[in-house]
Amino acid sequence: MMQVQLVPNLQLGDRIIGPTDDAMANRALFQRYAKRLQAQLGIGFQVYVDTSDGYDLLHAPAYDTNTSWVVPDVIYSSLTNSQVLSQHRLITLDNQSLILKDATTLAQQLIDAT
């Protein structure tokens, strides 16, 4: 079973990075998006919203082939740790798709990756 982790926020020092400045609003946006994505992916995929502010992503086992990490563009551009970028399956999500709950493109990327 493929696990999909949606990461709405990333804590870097004292800053929380996400699509908006409000961490709770980011989680709410991603919760709604997760439901739509799960419906489109169906059986064989389990969609979760990360509540660790990116800690789980930064400390995830290297080369885990059963997990895809979905991050907003702003978080992806903030990741400077080359090990995170090279050792994990990261997929970016643009703000427009998130706000409009358009999961079609992301669902296809995830299906193609399996």
Side-chain angles (χ1 to χ4, degrees):
M1 176 161 305
M2 173 65 71
Q3 189 177 101
V4 180
Q5 290 281 350
L6 303 176
V7 183
N9 301 302
L10 177 65
Q11 183 165 359
L12 295 176
D14 294 338
R15 285 185 9 203
I16 297 280
I17 297 171
T20 72
D21 293 336
D22 184 345
M24 294 303 289
N26 293 339
R27 281 193 193 104
L29 279 170
F30 273 80
Q31 279 297 132
R32 289 190 297 271
Y33 188 83
K35 291 176 185 175
R36 177 73 54 96
L37 181 61
Q38 182 67 66
Q40 287 192 4
L41 290 171
I43 297 173
F45 290 86
Q46 191 63 44
V47 178
Y48 300 96
V49 177
D50 175 58
T51 58
S52 71
D53 291 333
Y55 180 89
D56 290 345
L57 169 60
L58 297 177
H59 296 90
Y63 304 108
D64 176 6
T65 58
N66 293 322
T67 304
S68 290
W69 297 88
V70 178
V71 298
D73 292 333
V74 67
I75 288 179
Y76 187 84
S77 63
S78 299
L79 290 171
T80 57
N81 183 335
S82 62
Q83 288 182 338
V84 171
L85 295 172
S86 65
Q87 295 178 358
H88 302 295
R89 186 180 308 169
L90 292 173
I91 300 174
T92 59
L93 177 63
D94 63 273
N95 287 346
Q96 183 174 354
S97 294
L98 176 63
I99 292 168
L100 297 176
K101 294 185 280 187
D102 179 12
T104 307
T105 304
L106 178 58
Q108 192 58 52
Q109 284 179 304
L110 290 163
I111 290 168
D112 291 345
T114 57

